[in-house]
Amino acid sequence: MKRLFPAPWLSLALWVLWLVLNLSISPGNLLLGAVLGFIAPLMMRKLRPLPIRIRHPGVILRLFFIVGRDVLVSNLAVAWSVLNAGRCPPRSKFIKVPLDLRDANGLAALAMICTVVPGTVWSELALDRSILLLHVFDLEDEALFIQHFKATYERPLMEIFE
């Protein structure tokens, strides 16, 4: 059954989405949505992420609160920097952060963390996943930032995923 329906909830969601978008439950739309819900997951089976094995679930909660705190603090810091840009312009810079994290799911989580924390933007990942190019809105000390980034985000993700 798993071979025919690799993602049954996704199939159901696609079928319902098709019906909602078409605003019709005509027999043709019911059939077409069912075919779409059946075929799309089969065609995209190779694109599904690897199964996740979480090693230390308690670290997830700690990381959640750390990221939440950093989002609040960074919002205030970026807002203050923007308001005072005339007197003291921000020191924006691209930096290369060496990575020890190799798990695809961990890297995806790290990318999302970089996205939600204001002042940082994930720019590029080396093909061998060893270096991350990161844009920092206001950078005082590159070495200190890299040390903080690795200790605060990368190490917990390594504990969770590797």
Side-chain angles (χ1 to χ4, degrees):
M1 192 64 164
K2 193 73 171 166
R3 295 187 103 166
L4 279 177
F5 290 100
W9 290 108
L10 178 61
S11 295
L12 180 64
L14 287 172
W15 182 62
V16 169
L17 182 64
W18 180 264
L19 296 175
V20 169
L21 289 174
N22 283 294
L23 297 174
S24 170
I25 54 169
S26 68
N29 273 323
L30 287 169
L31 180 63
L32 196 53
V35 169
L36 175 69
F38 174 73
I39 291 177
L42 284 176
M43 292 175 55
M44 295 179 226
R45 182 177 28 214
K46 300 276 187 194
L47 299 176
R48 292 188 58 86
L50 300 171
I52 299 173
R53 281 190 355 213
I54 295 175
R55 305 235 186 252
H56 297 95
V59 178
I60 295 172
L61 189 59
R62 183 176 44 128
L63 182 61
F64 176 79
F65 285 114
I66 289 171
V67 171
R69 178 204 64 202
D70 285 355
V71 166
L72 292 174
V73 170
S74 294
N75 266 310
L76 295 173
V78 168
W80 182 256
S81 185
V82 168
L83 291 173
N84 292 316
R87 284 182 260 147
C88 181
R91 300 160 298 233
S92 297
K93 188 173 181 184
F94 284 96
I95 61 172
K96 292 181 179 179
V97 179
L99 292 178
D100 299 316
L101 178 65
R102 295 287 187 265
D103 181 79
N105 295 308
L107 288 169
L110 186 62
M112 291 174 43
I113 289 171
C114 290
T115 302
V116 300
V117 174
T120 58
V121 177
W122 177 290
S123 297
E124 183 178 358
L125 181 64
L127 290 176
D128 65 354
R129 299 179 178 177
S130 64
I131 297 175
L132 164 66
L133 183 64
L134 192 66
H135 182 267
V136 182
F137 177 70
D138 192 14
L139 182 67
E140 290 180 32
D141 182 0
E142 183 174 337
L144 189 63
F145 180 87
I146 290 172
Q147 180 184 5
H148 169 75
F149 184 85
K150 291 179 75 63
T152 306
Y153 305 127
E154 186 184 25
R155 276 194 209 111
L157 288 170
M158 288 175 71
E159 287 180 43
I160 295 167
F161 291 104
E162 293 184 347

